[in-house]
């Protein structure tokens, strides 16, 4: 996947063309955006600016952060914050805050990749010891359920777009079987980042219609997921869009909460589902 980044900087010597890198913005092909600026570095550099200039610089950076966070909550990739707009901004300077020429890089937009580049070009924050995270409810349930159903479905199926004509890009399906129709299930954790949820949903739902066309019959598609807390605004917005979609209302896809996983296991038994690939 192509990701584009641009560095936000302020010139500190016009003649010597010295600059102070303060922030970074990254955009991927899906229109997802990540932005941060080094508040610690900016505060430590306060003496380089007069009072009005410093306040204006802080205001600019806070305004950008607010605008981009609202864009992310709305999941609106049509915002003018795209690679073309970044290119425009790189040619525009207000003598206080500038954008570097956008650079394309062949990596995914992830927290780890963003933090790596941010540490390299902007500011290396003090790292704290990382704790080993507990497995989420979805991950634990998946580990528990897959061994129980592997006689009736293929589990952890890797689908290669070059091999299967109903696949647009490589993906992994958690459960894949058939009786008189294809039967699939995917575990999706709505406690992860909104970008991860979007990718998992997009991957899975992209094969629904192509697989039905290939099999010349409707399929049975499940998603195991729990509604996220409404305090998690981005994740809950994706959940609401999913539940309001025709895929759910027309019963093309059925969402089962983790405490009702038995519904899927019962379906596999009652309909004598067999592995999709022998």
């Amino acid at each position: 996947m192509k990701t584009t980044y641009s560095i936000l900087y302020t010139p500190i010597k016009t003649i010597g063309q010295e600059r102070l890198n303060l922030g970074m913005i990254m955009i991927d092909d899906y229109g997802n955006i990540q932005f941060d600026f080094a508040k610690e570095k900016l505060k430590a550099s306060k003496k380089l600016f007069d009072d009005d200039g410093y306040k204006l610089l802080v205001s600019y950076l806070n305004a950008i952060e607010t605008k981009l966070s609202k864009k992310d909550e709305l999941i609106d990739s049509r915002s003018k914050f795209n690679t073309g707009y970044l290119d425009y901004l790189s040619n525009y300077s207000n003598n206080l805050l500038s954008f570097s020429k956008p650079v394309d890089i062949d990596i995914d937009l992830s927290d780890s990749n963003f933090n790596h580049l941010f540490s390299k070009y902007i500011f290396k924050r003090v790292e704290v010891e990382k704790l080993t995270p507990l497995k989420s409810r979805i991950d634990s349930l998946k580990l528990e359920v897959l061994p129980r159903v592997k006689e009736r479905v293929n589990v952890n199926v890797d689908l290669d777009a070059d091999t299967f004509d109903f696949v647009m890009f490589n993906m992994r399906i958690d459960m894949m079987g058939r009786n008189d129709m294809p039967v699939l299930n995917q575990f999706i954790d709505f406690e992860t980042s909104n970008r991860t949820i979007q990718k998992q949903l997009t991957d899975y739902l992209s094969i629904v219609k192509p697989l039905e066309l290939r099999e010349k019959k409707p399929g049975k598609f499940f998603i195991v997921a729990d509604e996220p807390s409404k305090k998690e605004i981005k994740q809950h917005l994706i959940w609401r869009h999913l539940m309001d979609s025709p895929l759910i209302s027309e019963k093309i896809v059925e969402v089962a909460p983790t405490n009702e996983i038995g519904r899927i296991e019962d379906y596999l038994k009652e309909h004598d589902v067999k592995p999709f690939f022998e």
Side-chain angles (χ1 to χ4, degrees), residues 19-271:
R19 72 186 205 184
L20 184 68
N21 294 343
L22 292 173
M24 187 174 72
I25 182 170
M26 290 181 71
I27 303 178
D28 67 13
D29 287 337
Y30 292 112
N32 295 310
I33 291 182
Q34 195 156 345
F35 169 78
D36 196 9
F37 69 95
K39 300 176 179 64
E40 311 94 321
K41 186 175 183 179
L42 179 59
K43 187 174 181 180
S45 308
K46 185 176 181 179
K47 293 181 179 179
L48 297 174
F49 311 94
D50 59 47
D51 288 344
D52 289 340
Y54 178 78
K55 290 178 182 177
L56 191 56
L57 187 56
V58 172
S59 176
Y60 281 155
L61 290 166
N62 283 329
I64 293 171
E65 184 174 54
T66 299
K67 184 176 183 64
L68 294 182
S69 65
K70 287 181 178 179
K71 172 201 175 295
D72 205 32
E73 289 173 12
L74 294 173
I75 317 174
D76 181 9
S77 61
R78 294 168 294 179
S79 166
K80 68 179 181 179
F81 270 92
N82 52 39
T83 54
Y85 189 56
L86 277 183
D87 192 58
Y88 161 77
L89 289 174
S90 70
N91 293 312
Y92 169 80
S93 172
N94 61 10
N95 296 320
L96 189 57
L97 185 66
S98 300
F99 289 73
S100 70
K101 196 74 174 174
V103 176
D104 294 336
I105 185 169
D106 190 22
I107 60 172
D108 289 333
L109 176 53
S110 65
D111 289 341
S112 60
N113 286 336
F114 181 89
N115 291 336
H116 175 78
L117 291 178
F118 191 89
S119 295
K120 181 177 181 179
Y121 295 119
I122 312 301
F123 183 69
K124 186 174 179 63
R125 296 189 170 106
V126 176
E127 295 183 359
V128 297
E129 183 179 354
K130 292 184 179 180
L131 300 177
T132 302
L134 295 174
K135 282 189 176 3
S136 69
R137 171 63 179 155
I138 285 286
D139 288 338
S140 298
L141 183 64
K142 182 176 173 181
L143 290 174
E144 176 187 330
V145 170
L146 293 190
R148 294 204 304 255
V149 300
K150 65 181 181 180
E151 298 299 321
R152 294 197 172 275
V153 294
N154 302 113
V155 300
N156 294 325
V157 182
D158 290 317
L159 297 177
D160 190 302
D162 290 332
T163 304
F164 300 99
D165 57 6
F166 59 90
V167 177
M168 289 187 289
F169 29 78
N170 299 344
M171 68 181 72
R172 171 170 286 192
I173 299 298
D174 295 329
M175 295 164 52
M176 194 166 181
R178 66 163 74 240
N179 46 19
D180 58 337
M181 66 176 71
V183 179
L184 278 67
N185 175 59
Q186 197 78 336
F187 293 84
I188 295 182
D189 187 358
F190 275 78
E191 293 181 357
T192 59
S193 71
N194 63 306
R195 278 188 292 273
T196 299
I197 298 168
Q198 283 179 263
K199 185 178 187 311
Q200 291 177 346
L201 278 174
T202 301
D203 286 358
Y204 182 54
L205 299 179
S206 70
I207 71 170
V208 170
K209 186 53 66 176
L211 183 55
E212 289 184 332
L213 290 172
R214 177 183 181 270
E215 296 292 309
K216 297 182 171 57
K217 60 185 70 174
K220 184 68 175 179
F221 299 91
F222 292 99
I223 291 175
V224 175
D226 288 326
E227 180 178 2
S229 167
K230 292 182 180 178
K231 294 180 181 178
E232 301 296 332
I233 298 173
K234 303 168 188 177
Q235 289 86 340
H236 199 273
L237 186 58
I238 299 173
W239 173 269
R240 183 162 57 82
H241 287 168
L242 171 65
M243 300 308 290
D244 289 344
S245 74
L247 290 170
I248 304 300
S249 61
E250 298 297 325
K251 299 183 179 179
I252 299 170
V253 176
E254 182 179 340
V255 177
T258 55
N259 61 2
E260 295 182 18
I261 186 65
R263 279 168 36 196
I264 299 176
E265 294 185 79
D266 290 343
Y267 180 92
L268 299 180
K269 294 176 184 177
E270 291 169 5
H271 293 81

